[in-house]
């Protein structure tokens, strides 16, 4: 017995020593031990683990690579959503960002920011429980990602157990960061891939993504993946020790052995942010990894919380992107594509070119007016830029290279997919095909939208497969997806037993969804994700939504008369109602909208008036609905509370006349937090 406990403490001591040396080597680039001495410690641990299997712990530094490849990736909900960032493309955008913050933070005369390079890698979420790496996931759609723990464990700079430090690691924490590959390592990978006739990666980001998207952890282990932590999701600290700022979080990370970007700095105002951007821009060429900008985050967590978010991006952070990169190429053809709701978009296909590490071969052109403005013709040499993140765009035609007369592009008169006549609405610059889902292109696009990540999220139904399904008459409307049989799929090119089962499985899994995803998936004009969420929070049940009147729709904050018209028209069509009912009959299950019912405002009739500083009006409304309040637009005897912001107007007078209780912004925010 005694021997065992001595062995156990030696094993745990070895974990600690090895982890510390490993951190110094991989994260700090500062080796503190000879390689041979490190190997001796590692071998001692391996031998002890072989001799005493009961002492072989999953968080041991010897256990980075699991033995068996996985069968597939599991989907996992993040405890807290992984948000995206708003972009700033110039100094004015940054100043506007600061102005918006200062307008909301009226009581602050100074707002500090954390500044970090924006790594061009893959965002991951690491969950540590009781200090041990418990699970790692990709960002996915921000709400749900894929379990890649097996691959993340192979990354040497990611600790399997957090180092002990003065600040005790919390019992649960979601640590967010970026996995990336150094530029030189990426070149090496491609060199080797070329000699082995394997897949060449377009850029380091794709190489990192490709390595994490492997079922066999040995592939990831063979790639020189690196990691910098840059954010935090859920955390469960004891109340008093919890970090209060982004910079304090970075200090914690360092003390637990997690690598952070050494160029991270604090800026005390927006001008310091602007200088930081200039500094990083000039250092960019010397960095060993690729960055595409700089991220600024309001340092204080309290302020972050009161600033809140709009759609999927927080108001308290922004990415200042480097200018778009530009290249020149020759236009091969200009064709016309039909969108989900029939709009016709010209698309230029050109000779492929590499812009900033990404090979691009076509660009959409907004509308026909834009073709005229650019005067772009087939055969022209054009300048292309990759705007913002990814979307390539034609900036201008190089007329000096137009050696011979080229034909002007003529607007199409008939739909390129179904040949119906095209219409142009008076105040729209866009040509439209009005054949709806009778047009094969619109049918394909509406299915593509339905299965897309933020809609029903059906994996494995790419554009090519959907086209095949439509062309072979296997799917001509959304419900048909759920009637697909394995035999049907096996007849299609590229399907085998395993891939067919896999697709049917993901179609089956998609049946469990939420009302907001489902409404979004229907592809109603003007109904994006935010509107769909709003609709779901207001109607709560699909049956109620199907009966929505125009007045009810207009009454919903953030839904204007045009969107209300589109939604109402959509719901007035019997075909659409039938389609939804059919989908429900086929087994679509819509999770109950989660409403908290024990809040002071639950089940109360609340009216909002005036403008707010700490929260957007639409978000306030959403939060009220989440606690079960019934938000109404006019004050009456039935009103329980009037929530007033600045400049409340006539509703306040009426509420006072009727003796309705009035809550100010601070009161309501406090109650919502309960
Ligand atoms: S913070 C709400 N910091 O950029 C804050 N993101 O467009 C969300 N990224 O998905 C992210 N470097 O993959 C943050 N220093 C950094 C980053 C960074 C790269 C990526 C991240 C995220 C995307 C947001």
């Amino acid at each position: 017995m005694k021997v065992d406990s001595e062995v156990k403490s030696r094993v745990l001591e070895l974990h600690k020593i090895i982890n510390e040396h490993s951190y110094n080597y991989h994260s700090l680039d500062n080796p503190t031990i000879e390689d041979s001495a490190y190997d001796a410690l590692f071998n001692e641990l391996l031998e002890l683990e072989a001799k005493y299997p009961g002492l072989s712990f999953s968080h041991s530094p010897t256990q980075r690579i699991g033995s068996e490849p996985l069968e597939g990736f599991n989907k996992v909900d993040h405890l807290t959503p992984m948000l995206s960032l708003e972009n700033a493309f110039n100094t004015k955008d940054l100043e506007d960002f600061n102005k918006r913050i200062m307008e909301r933070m009226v009581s602050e005369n100074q707002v500090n920011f954390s500044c970090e390079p924006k790594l061009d890698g893959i965002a991951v979420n690491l969950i540590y429980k009781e200090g041990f790496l418990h699970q790692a996931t990709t960002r996915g759609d921000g709400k749900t990602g894929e379990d890649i723990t097996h691959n993340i464990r192979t990354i040497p700079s990611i600790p399997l157990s957090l180092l002990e430090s003065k600040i005790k690691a919390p019992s649960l924490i979601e640590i967010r960061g970026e996995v990336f590959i150094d530029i030189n390592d990426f070149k090496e990978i491609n060199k080797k891939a070329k000699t082995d006739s394997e897949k060449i990666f377009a850029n380091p980001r794709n190489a990192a993504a490709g390595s994490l998207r492997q079922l066999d952890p040995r592939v990831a282990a063979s790639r020189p993946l690196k990691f910098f932590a840059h954010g935090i999701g859920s955390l469960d600290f004891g109340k008093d020790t919890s970090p209060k700022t982004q910079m304090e979080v970075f200090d914690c990370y360092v003390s637990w052995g997690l690598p952070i970007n050494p160029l991270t700095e604090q800026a005390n105002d927006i001008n310091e942010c602007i200088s930081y951007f200039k500094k990083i821009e000039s250092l960019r060429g010397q960095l060993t990894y690729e960055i595409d900008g700089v991220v600024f985050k309001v340092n204080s967590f309290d302020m972050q919380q009161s600033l809140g978010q709009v759609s999927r991006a927080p108001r308290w952070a922004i990415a200042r992107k480097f200018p778009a990169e530009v290249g020149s190429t020759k236009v091969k053809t200009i064709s016309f594509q039909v969108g989900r709701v029939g709009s016709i978009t010209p698309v230029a296909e050109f000779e492929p070119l590499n812009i900033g590490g990404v090979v691009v071969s076509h660009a959409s052109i907004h509308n026909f007016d834009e073709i005229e403005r650019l005067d772009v013709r087939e055969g022209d040499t054009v300048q292309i830029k990759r705007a913002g993140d990814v979307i390539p765009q034609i900036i201008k035609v190089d007329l000096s290279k137009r050696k011979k007369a080229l034909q002007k592009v003529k607007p199409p008169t008939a739909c390129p997919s179904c040949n119906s006549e095209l219409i142009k609405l008076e105040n729209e610059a866009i040509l439209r095909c009005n054949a709806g889902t009778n047009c094969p292109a619109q049918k394909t696009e509406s299915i593509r939208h339905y299965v897309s990540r933020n809609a029903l999220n059906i994996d494995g139904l790419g554009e090519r497969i959907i086209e095949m399904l439509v062309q072979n008459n296997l799917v001509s409307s959304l419900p048909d997806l759920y009637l697909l049989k394995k035999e049907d799929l096996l007849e299609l090119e590229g399907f085998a037993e395993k891939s067919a089962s896999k697709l049917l499985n993901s179609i089956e899994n998609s049946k469990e969804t939420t009302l907001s995803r489902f409404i979004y998936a229907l592809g109603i004009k003007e109904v994006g994700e935010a509107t769909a969420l709003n609709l779901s929070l207001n109607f709560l049940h699909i049956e109620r939504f199907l009966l929505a009147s125009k007045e009810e729709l207009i009454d919903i904050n953030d839904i204007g008369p045009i969107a209300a018209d589109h939604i109402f028209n959509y719901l007035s069509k019997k075909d659409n109602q039938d389609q939804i009912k059919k989908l429900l009959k086929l087994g679509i299950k819509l999770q109950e909208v989660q409403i908290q019912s024990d809040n002071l405002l639950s089940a109360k009739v609340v009216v909002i008036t005036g403008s707010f500083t700490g929260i957007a009006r639409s978000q306030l409304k959403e939060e009220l609905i989440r606690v079960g309040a019934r938000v109404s637009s006019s004050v009456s005897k039935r009103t329980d509370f009037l929530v007033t912001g600045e400049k409340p107007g006539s509703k306040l007078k009426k509420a006072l006349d009727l003796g309705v209780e009035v809550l100010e912004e601070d009161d309501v925010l406090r109650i919502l937090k309960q």
Side-chain angles (χ1 to χ4, degrees):
M1 224 32 221
K2 181 153 184 298
V3 178
D4 270 7
S5 75
E6 262 172 28
V7 178
K8 184 172 178 190
S9 39
R10 177 60 182 161
V11 165
L12 294 180
E13 187 182 25
L14 283 168
H15 285 183
K16 208 169 148 200
I17 304 174
I18 292 172
N19 284 343
E20 266 168 11
H21 287 310
S22 171
Y23 173 62
N24 294 337
Y25 180 87
H26 290 290
S27 298
L28 301 183
D29 244 342
N30 177 24
T32 40
I33 188 173
E34 288 289 324
D35 285 2
S36 56
Y38 180 88
D39 291 345
L41 291 167
F42 203 85
N43 285 332
E44 183 188 344
L45 181 58
L46 279 175
E47 278 166 22
L48 287 175
E49 287 174 346
K51 202 161 158 197
Y52 302 94
L55 297 180
S56 173
F57 300 105
S58 66
H59 57 268
S60 160
T62 64
Q63 301 297 310
R64 285 195 172 267
I65 312 179
S67 48
E68 289 299 312
L70 305 187
E71 294 270 308
F73 293 105
N74 281 330
K75 294 221 159 109
V76 182
D77 284 344
H78 303 306
L79 303 177
T80 312
M82 291 179 81
L83 303 176
S84 44
L85 288 169
E86 191 196 332
N87 288 330
F89 294 105
N90 50 44
T91 304
K92 176 160 186 307
D93 289 348
L94 277 187
E95 286 166 347
D96 289 348
F97 162 69
N98 187 53
K99 219 185 269 162
R100 289 194 297 272
I101 292 173
M102 297 314 273
E103 273 166 14
R104 285 172 180 273
M105 300 274 98
V106 270
S107 56
E108 307 289 332
N109 24 22
Q110 199 187 6
V111 174
N112 301 330
F113 298 91
S114 75
C115 317
E116 309 138 54
K118 183 168 189 297
L119 269 128
D120 204 3
I122 303 299
V124 294
N125 188 37
L126 313 178
I127 298 184
Y128 283 83
K129 276 193 180 167
E130 307 302 342
F132 296 120
L133 178 62
H134 169 73
Q135 190 172 52
T137 48
T138 56
R139 177 175 183 277
D141 63 2
K143 280 191 183 142
T144 310
E146 283 182 331
D147 190 335
I148 49 161
T149 317
H150 60 297
N151 290 330
I152 290 295
R153 286 176 67 93
T154 69
I155 302 177
S157 58
I158 296 185
L160 298 181
S161 53
L162 300 177
L163 296 183
E164 277 171 34
S165 95
K166 269 203 299 248
I167 318 153
K168 198 171 151 354
S171 53
L172 174 94
I173 185 167
E174 283 186 304
I175 294 171
R176 269 105 199 235
E178 208 80 357
V179 171
F180 62 98
I181 287 185
D182 273 341
I183 301 166
N184 281 339
D185 288 334
F186 151 76
K187 287 184 183 152
E188 281 302 311
I189 293 174
N190 267 357
K191 213 154 115 193
K192 185 165 175 307
K194 213 169 185 177
T195 30
D196 299 348
S197 307
E198 281 178 354
K199 187 180 153 145
I200 306 281
F201 293 108
N203 53 44
R205 183 174 193 279
N206 286 3
S211 311
L212 292 180
R213 217 178 291 122
Q214 295 286 337
L215 293 169
D216 187 344
R218 281 170 296 194
V219 181
S222 75
R223 303 263 165 82
L225 295 167
K226 294 194 166 175
F227 174 76
F228 280 144
H230 57 54
I232 191 158
S234 289
L235 82 165
D236 188 0
F237 263 102
K239 273 203 181 85
D240 307 330
T241 48
S242 185
K244 304 269 181 297
T245 64
Q246 176 75 28
M247 294 304 283
E248 277 174 38
V249 163
F250 287 141
D251 290 341
C252 290
Y253 286 174
V254 171
S255 76
W256 298 334
L258 284 153
I260 64 160
N261 195 314
L263 295 169
T264 304
E265 274 180 33
Q266 178 172 324
N268 294 321
D269 58 31
I270 200 71
N271 290 327
E272 288 187 18
C273 292
I274 295 165
S275 315
Y276 178 84
F277 174 76
K278 287 192 185 128
K279 178 173 116 179
I280 299 296
E281 196 174 30
S282 68
L283 281 176
R284 186 182 184 190
Q286 295 162 38
L287 299 179
T288 55
Y289 45 84
E290 285 198 339
I291 61 173
D292 55 356
V294 164
V295 181
F296 299 109
K297 299 172 194 156
V298 167
N299 197 22
S300 145
F301 287 156
D302 277 349
M303 285 194 216
Q304 287 188 5
Q305 204 181 0
S306 28
L307 285 164
Q309 68 190 64
V310 193
S311 196
R312 283 161 181 261
R315 284 202 192 82
W316 44 264
I318 201 158
R320 165 72 164 99
K321 303 293 285 273
F322 293 129
E325 299 189 57
V326 178
S328 167
T329 186
K330 198 163 169 188
V331 176
K332 291 202 285 195
T333 56
I334 295 178
S335 58
F336 297 93
Q337 255 177 18
V338 191
R340 179 165 55 85
V341 287
S343 44
I344 307 289
T345 312
V347 178
E349 192 181 327
F350 35 77
E351 282 163 8
L353 83 160
N354 188 317
I355 311 181
V358 175
V359 178
V360 292
S361 58
H362 51 264
S364 300
I365 307 172
H366 279 319
N367 51 38
F368 213 84
D369 294 354
E370 183 68 1
I371 293 202
E372 306 247 297
R373 189 187 70 79
L374 290 164
D375 188 22
V376 55
R377 307 179 190 190
E378 291 182 349
D380 265 336
T381 300
V382 290
Q383 272 192 20
I384 309 283
K385 85 169 177 190
R386 208 152 59 85
D389 275 332
V390 274
I391 305 159
Q393 199 186 329
I394 298 181
I395 329 175
K396 65 171 192 190
V397 174
D398 187 348
L399 287 176
S400 68
K401 299 234 166 85
R402 192 187 277 171
K403 291 282 169 335
K404 52 177 193 220
L406 297 173
Q407 283 250 307
K408 259 185 172 285
V409 182
K410 287 202 195 81
T413 50
C415 170
S417 174
C418 69
N419 224 12
S420 313
E421 200 183 329
L422 296 179
I423 52 162
K424 187 169 178 175
L425 294 183
E426 231 173 77
N427 43 9
E428 279 192 340
I430 293 169
L431 284 167
R432 271 184 201 285
C433 161
N434 247 3
T437 43
N438 291 328
C439 165
Q442 288 181 60
K443 199 179 288 175
T444 310
E445 285 305 305
S446 67
I447 298 170
R448 242 165 47 122
H449 176 75
Y450 182 83
V451 307
S452 66
R453 212 191 233 190
N454 298 337
L456 277 256
N457 194 13
I458 304 183
D459 250 2
L461 257 185
E463 187 176 0
R464 198 183 56 85
I465 299 179
I466 296 177
E467 265 169 17
M468 283 200 294
L469 292 171
V470 171
Q471 274 161 15
N472 288 287
N473 286 328
L474 288 169
V475 175
S476 65
S477 66
L478 301 175
D480 291 346
L481 285 172
Y482 298 96
L483 299 170
L484 281 172
K485 299 207 177 46
K486 199 189 254 177
E487 305 86 83
D488 300 333
L489 294 178
L490 288 176
E491 288 193 5
L492 299 179
E493 193 193 310
F495 272 101
E497 193 69 29
K498 206 168 160 190
S499 47
S501 310
K502 206 170 151 201
L503 177 55
L504 290 178
N505 237 336
S506 47
I507 294 180
E508 190 58 33
N509 289 340
S510 75
K511 287 182 176 173
E512 299 257 334
T513 187
T514 60
L515 180 58
S516 69
R517 273 180 183 265
F518 185 67
I519 295 180
Y520 171 66
L522 296 173
I524 307 169
K525 268 186 213 165
E526 302 262 340
V527 179
E529 284 174 82
T531 308
L533 178 65
N534 245 329
L535 288 165
S536 77
L537 289 173
N538 275 278
F539 291 104
L540 301 176
H541 298 285
I542 185 76
E543 293 75 14
R544 280 282 303 109
F545 173 61
L546 294 182
L547 296 173
S549 69
K550 207 183 265 186
E551 292 68 38
E552 275 179 297
L553 290 166
I554 294 183
D555 225 21
I556 299 177
N557 247 334
D558 278 357
I559 296 191
I562 297 180
D565 259 350
H566 285 309
I567 301 167
F568 186 71
N569 288 343
Y570 178 92
L571 293 173
S572 320
K573 292 204 177 110
K574 185 168 180 302
D575 282 358
N576 293 332
Q577 292 264 352
D578 288 349
Q579 165 158 283
I580 294 173
K581 287 178 187 148
K582 207 161 168 191
L583 285 167
L584 296 171
K585 234 187 180 153
L586 285 164
I588 298 283
K589 280 203 194 61
L590 304 173
Q591 258 169 44
E592 285 269 317
V593 178
Q594 289 294 325
I595 299 284
Q596 193 191 330
S597 58
D598 55 353
N599 193 283
L600 192 67
L601 296 169
S602 307
K604 296 285 190 288
V605 179
V606 181
V607 176
I608 308 175
T609 182
S611 57
F612 297 85
T613 48
I615 187 166
R617 202 184 155 109
S618 55
Q619 201 182 345
L620 174 62
K621 183 173 177 197
E622 258 181 37
E623 306 257 326
L624 284 167
I625 295 170
R626 267 188 213 287
V627 299
R630 295 211 299 279
V631 183
S632 155
S633 56
S634 55
V635 176
S636 73
K637 279 194 296 222
R638 285 177 46 247
T639 311
D640 293 303
F641 294 102
L642 176 75
V643 178
T644 56
E646 284 168 14
K647 306 207 187 96
S650 64
K651 285 183 191 166
L652 177 59
K653 185 172 177 308
K654 188 158 180 202
L656 292 173
D657 287 348
L658 291 171
V660 170
E661 191 167 336
V662 176
L663 297 174
E664 294 196 352
E665 179 173 346
D666 286 352
D667 305 325
V668 78
L669 292 181
R670 203 165 4 86
I671 298 172
L672 284 171
K673 271 191 197 149
Q674 282 168 358

